[in-house]
Amino acid sequence: SADGGRKLSLDSIPMGLPMSDPTAWATAMNNLGMAPMGMTGQPLLPDFDPALGMMTGIPPINPMMPGLGIVPPPIPPDMPAVKEIIHCKSCTLFPPNPHLPPPATRERPPGCKTVFVGGLPENGTEQIIMEVFEQCGEVIAIRKSKKNFCHIRFAEEFMVDKALYLSGYRIRLGSSTDKKDTGRLHVDFAQARDDLYEWECKQRMLAREERHRRRLEEERFRPPSPPPVVHYSDHECSVVAEKLKDDTKFLEAIQTLLTWIERGEVNRRTANNFYSMIQSANSHIRRLVNEKAAHEKEMEEAKEKFKLALSGILVQFEQIVAVYHSASKQKAWDHFTKAQRKNISVWCKQAEEIRNIHNDELMGIRREEEMEMSDEEIEDPSEMKETEESALVSQVEALKEENDSLRWQLDAYRNEVELLKQEQGKASRDEDTTKEQQMKLLQQALQGMQKHLLKVQDEYKKREAELEKVREDKLKIETLLENLKEQESSTSRVCACSQEKECPVEKTLSNSPVKSEREVLLVGIISTFLHVHPFGASIEYICSYLQRLDSKICTAEVEVLMTRLQNTFRQELSGVGASLEKRWKFCGFDGLKMT
């Protein structure tokens, strides 16, 4: 009967459900990503959509589908994964709270096929564990511990992902509520030596296949080896002799001939044959010489064409440059805008540069021709006579060269004038920057003076307080006044003598142009620097050197110090016109004689 067939099929399957609850069976199979089928293989629900992999009307529970690969596709964030109750033969699995975060897992080891399962019931057996986890795939081995955990090894890697889905489920054996019959499953990746060994073997196999594939690719792209040279025989000798007379096959034949001679095939019997082949190779020299002469002729013709084309291009460049120069004259120049003038000047410079480059190239070609002509004249003294026409042509060329040189000189003068204008502009900018720097330095000096005055006032107040204390002490100690007065009189005499000795030194210091130890150091460094530069140096150059030693040194301070020491430093003017420059020189040796 049908009921009997259903019971038999139920006994034959290790994980069965009572047929009184077909919806729970369909839900459990849908959780594992399988189509809900009955015990006899018939579909339980007619509205199951195999293309979608889920039942119509039931939200998706497990994103992992069998056969989709090792790593399952991710669940969309807007589609929550709802876990259902899973009924097994000996136990029931209850899903965790959906609002709790997913259980934490360790990093997946390479080639992982083993999982760690913790939180098992105390009364749980290997048969119950097999019943729960064989839904995820073929189980190879189970290693159960006495402390409510075990390790399960699957046949494939993707089965581990299915087993991780059961992490967090609460398990209950039968209908018992005893603590020993319940537990909360914790499934995580486990690191097993067998998995690592199999993964390494697989990687080595893939590496071997990759090396084999690369070797095949290299052999496919490797150039073929040259064909072996045939051994000498009378027939082959006649064939090679015929090839030596053919221009297209000469290279192959000469290589064969060279190999035979190196092998030692020449003897008394074959000497005549080899001599005839060498004679054929010698006759090929004439053909090569004729071919070279033809190529040289073609090269000369190409040179002439190139020279004519280059001279035509130069004529056009001259006309374009003349247009730019005429446009730069005041008649037309005043009517252009500022941007147009700038563009015209830039174009004129570019055209002049290109014109000069092409002119140099043409002059180089002409010089090479003249060198060749002079070599031919030395070789053939009979052709040293020149006609009047050639003399006129040389004069015209000389005039052209002079004209070009004068034009280049004019361009050079123009460039110098532009450079001088730019330098004048830079000098004015530098003066502005130096004025700003001087103002900043003066402001800093004023601020420093104010701070110094405040410090002096504070010290003055402290000294006054100390004096008051000393007066009070004097009033209290009247018995020691006489001794103190004698000591004070002796000390006052000594102070007067020291003050008299210090006064002339101070006077000499106040009268001398050098007012501090810093200025003395500056004078020494500047004197050493200018002694190394006998032709003098500008104040900017001197200050740039001093600012490397101390960045606070300013140009105005150095210039004022040098003007005060007229017997040590002397200022001279050098240059003419726009290039006029002030230079400072060291004249300490002359000043020593004068003073």
mmCIF file of all heavy atoms in Angstrom, residues 89-103:
data_model
loop_
_atom_site.group_PDB
_atom_site.id
_atom_site.type_symbol
_atom_site.label_atom_id
_atom_site.label_comp_id
_atom_site.label_asym_id
_atom_site.label_seq_id
_atom_site.Cartn_x
_atom_site.Cartn_y
_atom_site.Cartn_z
ATOM 1 N N LYS A 89 15.009 13.424 13.484
ATOM 2 C CA LYS A 89 14.396 12.182 13.961
ATOM 3 C C LYS A 89 14.479 12.081 15.478
ATOM 4 O O LYS A 89 13.504 11.690 16.139
ATOM 5 C CB LYS A 89 15.105 10.990 13.311
ATOM 6 C CG LYS A 89 14.445 9.652 13.593
ATOM 7 C CD LYS A 89 15.150 8.565 12.820
ATOM 8 C CE LYS A 89 14.496 7.198 13.092
ATOM 9 N NZ LYS A 89 15.170 6.109 12.344
ATOM 10 N N SER A 90 15.630 12.432 16.054
ATOM 11 C CA SER A 90 15.825 12.259 17.498
ATOM 12 C C SER A 90 15.903 13.577 18.242
ATOM 13 O O SER A 90 16.023 13.566 19.473
ATOM 14 C CB SER A 90 17.118 11.477 17.762
ATOM 15 O OG SER A 90 17.121 10.250 17.085
ATOM 16 N N CYS A 91 15.908 14.696 17.525
ATOM 17 C CA CYS A 91 16.055 15.990 18.204
ATOM 18 C C CYS A 91 15.371 17.076 17.409
ATOM 19 O O CYS A 91 14.923 16.856 16.275
ATOM 20 C CB CYS A 91 17.528 16.330 18.412
ATOM 21 S SG CYS A 91 18.427 16.481 16.870
ATOM 22 N N THR A 92 15.298 18.256 18.015
ATOM 23 C CA THR A 92 14.694 19.423 17.379
ATOM 24 C C THR A 92 15.651 20.598 17.548
ATOM 25 O O THR A 92 16.227 20.791 18.632
ATOM 26 C CB THR A 92 13.340 19.759 18.017
ATOM 27 O OG1 THR A 92 12.529 18.587 18.015
ATOM 28 C CG2 THR A 92 12.633 20.873 17.255
ATOM 29 N N LEU A 93 15.810 21.376 16.459
ATOM 30 C CA LEU A 93 16.690 22.552 16.482
ATOM 31 C C LEU A 93 15.835 23.803 16.432
ATOM 32 O O LEU A 93 15.029 23.982 15.506
ATOM 33 C CB LEU A 93 17.665 22.526 15.303
ATOM 34 C CG LEU A 93 18.598 21.321 15.223
ATOM 35 C CD1 LEU A 93 19.417 21.387 13.949
ATOM 36 C CD2 LEU A 93 19.511 21.272 16.427
ATOM 37 N N PHE A 94 16.007 24.682 17.427
ATOM 38 C CA PHE A 94 15.262 25.931 17.510
ATOM 39 C C PHE A 94 16.183 27.089 17.099
ATOM 40 O O PHE A 94 17.320 27.181 17.570
ATOM 41 C CB PHE A 94 14.757 26.157 18.933
ATOM 42 C CG PHE A 94 13.791 25.098 19.395
ATOM 43 C CD1 PHE A 94 14.243 24.007 20.111
ATOM 44 C CD2 PHE A 94 12.438 25.193 19.093
ATOM 45 C CE1 PHE A 94 13.368 23.034 20.532
ATOM 46 C CE2 PHE A 94 11.554 24.220 19.519
ATOM 47 C CZ PHE A 94 12.018 23.126 20.229
ATOM 48 N N PRO A 95 15.719 28.004 16.228
ATOM 49 C CA PRO A 95 16.596 29.085 15.728
ATOM 50 C C PRO A 95 16.901 30.101 16.817
ATOM 51 O O PRO A 95 16.140 30.247 17.783
ATOM 52 C CB PRO A 95 15.768 29.705 14.609
ATOM 53 C CG PRO A 95 14.362 29.433 14.986
ATOM 54 C CD PRO A 95 14.347 28.089 15.682
ATOM 55 N N PRO A 96 18.012 30.823 16.684
ATOM 56 C CA PRO A 96 18.342 31.868 17.664
ATOM 57 C C PRO A 96 17.498 33.110 17.444
ATOM 58 O O PRO A 96 16.746 33.231 16.460
ATOM 59 C CB PRO A 96 19.819 32.149 17.386
ATOM 60 C CG PRO A 96 19.984 31.822 15.948
ATOM 61 C CD PRO A 96 19.039 30.696 15.655
ATOM 62 N N ASN A 97 17.600 34.040 18.363
ATOM 63 C CA ASN A 97 16.883 35.309 18.251
ATOM 64 C C ASN A 97 17.388 36.063 17.015
ATOM 65 O O ASN A 97 18.590 36.315 16.885
ATOM 66 C CB ASN A 97 17.130 36.139 19.521
ATOM 67 C CG ASN A 97 16.233 37.374 19.560
ATOM 68 O OD1 ASN A 97 15.531 37.680 18.607
ATOM 69 N ND2 ASN A 97 16.254 38.057 20.696
ATOM 70 N N PRO A 98 16.495 36.420 16.075
ATOM 71 C CA PRO A 98 16.973 37.090 14.844
ATOM 72 C C PRO A 98 17.559 38.466 15.086
ATOM 73 O O PRO A 98 18.286 38.985 14.247
ATOM 74 C CB PRO A 98 15.711 37.158 13.968
ATOM 75 C CG PRO A 98 14.578 37.087 14.928
ATOM 76 C CD PRO A 98 15.041 36.211 16.070
ATOM 77 N N HIS A 99 17.236 39.077 16.234
ATOM 78 C CA HIS A 99 17.748 40.430 16.511
ATOM 79 C C HIS A 99 19.156 40.407 17.081
ATOM 80 O O HIS A 99 19.800 41.455 17.163
ATOM 81 C CB HIS A 99 16.815 41.146 17.479
ATOM 82 C CG HIS A 99 15.426 41.297 16.956
ATOM 83 N ND1 HIS A 99 15.098 42.100 15.871
ATOM 84 C CD2 HIS A 99 14.248 40.712 17.359
ATOM 85 C CE1 HIS A 99 13.802 42.034 15.628
ATOM 86 N NE2 HIS A 99 13.254 41.194 16.506
ATOM 87 N N LEU A 100 19.649 39.249 17.500
ATOM 88 C CA LEU A 100 21.007 39.172 18.018
ATOM 89 C C LEU A 100 22.021 39.216 16.889
ATOM 90 O O LEU A 100 21.718 38.804 15.754
ATOM 91 C CB LEU A 100 21.181 37.872 18.818
ATOM 92 C CG LEU A 100 20.388 37.768 20.129
ATOM 93 C CD1 LEU A 100 20.585 36.374 20.721
ATOM 94 C CD2 LEU A 100 20.845 38.835 21.107
ATOM 95 N N PRO A 101 23.231 39.700 17.154
ATOM 96 C CA PRO A 101 24.261 39.711 16.085
ATOM 97 C C PRO A 101 24.664 38.287 15.727
ATOM 98 O O PRO A 101 24.532 37.363 16.541
ATOM 99 C CB PRO A 101 25.424 40.484 16.721
ATOM 100 C CG PRO A 101 25.226 40.348 18.190
ATOM 101 C CD PRO A 101 23.743 40.268 18.411
ATOM 102 N N PRO A 102 25.170 38.076 14.525
ATOM 103 C CA PRO A 102 25.590 36.724 14.119
ATOM 104 C C PRO A 102 26.748 36.255 14.989
ATOM 105 O O PRO A 102 27.562 37.052 15.451
ATOM 106 C CB PRO A 102 26.021 36.892 12.662
ATOM 107 C CG PRO A 102 26.327 38.334 12.515
ATOM 108 C CD PRO A 102 25.413 39.052 13.454
ATOM 109 N N PRO A 103 26.843 34.954 15.224
ATOM 110 C CA PRO A 103 27.937 34.430 16.062
ATOM 111 C C PRO A 103 29.291 34.671 15.424
ATOM 112 O O PRO A 103 29.449 34.614 14.205
ATOM 113 C CB PRO A 103 27.631 32.932 16.176
ATOM 114 C CG PRO A 103 26.731 32.634 15.027
ATOM 115 C CD PRO A 103 25.952 33.870 14.746
#
